[in-house]
Every structure is written in C-alpha cells, then in structure tokens.
Amino acid sequence: QRAGRGGGKESWEALPPIGLSSEVTSLRWCKGAALLAAMTSEGIYQLSETILQQRMTEDVAVVQLGARTLHVEWLYADVGYGLGHGAEEPEYVEGFTIDAGINVKGLCIG
C-alpha cells in the first residue's frame, strides 16, 4: 500500500507478478512484518510488499535489506602498501547499515 493514501483500491500499487511452481493452498499475512506467506504443496513462499533494490559502482555497493533499511559497502586499497615495489595493494571492504527513515522505492549511486 502506498504511503499517504487512505483505504480503497486507489491506495494499492501493482507489483510484478510472482510465478510459483505449484497451486497456492493458503495465503496468510505475517504478524509485525510486511510479508505475505503463500503456502503450496511444495512449501511456503514469503512475499515482501517491497521490491528490494541493489546498485553497484566500481567500488561501492548498496543493498536494500527491508522497506527502510539499506546496507552500504565500499572497497578500497591500502594506499601506503607496495607502492613502487611492484606488489599488489591489499583491498579492504568496509560498510554500515542504515535506517533511511522512509520507505525506499529506488536507489541511485554515482
């Protein structure tokens, strides 16, 4: 459901269809989370109300973990190591997780 709207069919945003491998026998909303459980004869599928986003550049990656949560990681080289000696510089990954404070619908990094 889109934020800032009242009830009714106008407040719902269509998401791409999900293909399941067998017939759905039951649908249940999960308590406390924006998840819908679709039960089939083969198992349970958890469907999120949010399409999770991800973006990468050469040295930065951002992955959406939930409707409001993002994880950012970046790769960098140890600049003082191996310069002028022909050795490769070791690379390190650092990152953090952040609550955006709003529902994230898209990402752009540059």
Side-chain angles (χ1 to χ4, degrees):
Q1 195 170 17
R2 286 188 276 184
R5 296 281 179 112
K9 65 182 180 181
E10 304 83 32
S11 66
W12 289 92
E13 182 178 342
L15 296 177
I18 303 293
L20 302 176
S21 57
S22 62
E23 185 176 316
V24 174
T25 57
S26 179
L27 289 173
R28 303 261 168 106
W29 287 105
C30 299
K31 284 188 175 184
L35 295 173
L36 178 67
M39 291 163 253
T40 71
S41 60
E42 294 181 352
I44 297 174
Y45 295 85
Q46 289 186 350
L47 309 171
S48 174
E49 76 168 346
T50 303
I51 298 174
L52 300 179
Q53 306 287 325
Q54 46 74 26
R55 295 291 181 269
M56 285 185 70
T57 64
E58 193 172 303
D59 56 356
V60 176
V62 180
V63 177
Q64 186 178 0
L65 303 176
R68 301 164 54 118
T69 309
L70 302 171
H71 184 75
V72 181
E73 288 190 352
W74 61 94
L75 178 70
Y76 67 94
D78 185 356
V79 177
Y81 181 82
L83 294 177
H85 302 290
E88 283 191 29
E89 299 174 4
E91 295 179 322
Y92 300 92
V93 175
E94 288 201 9
F96 60 91
T97 301
I98 185 170
D99 180 339
I102 60 171
N103 287 351
V104 177
K105 295 289 187 174
L107 295 173
C108 180
I109 60 175

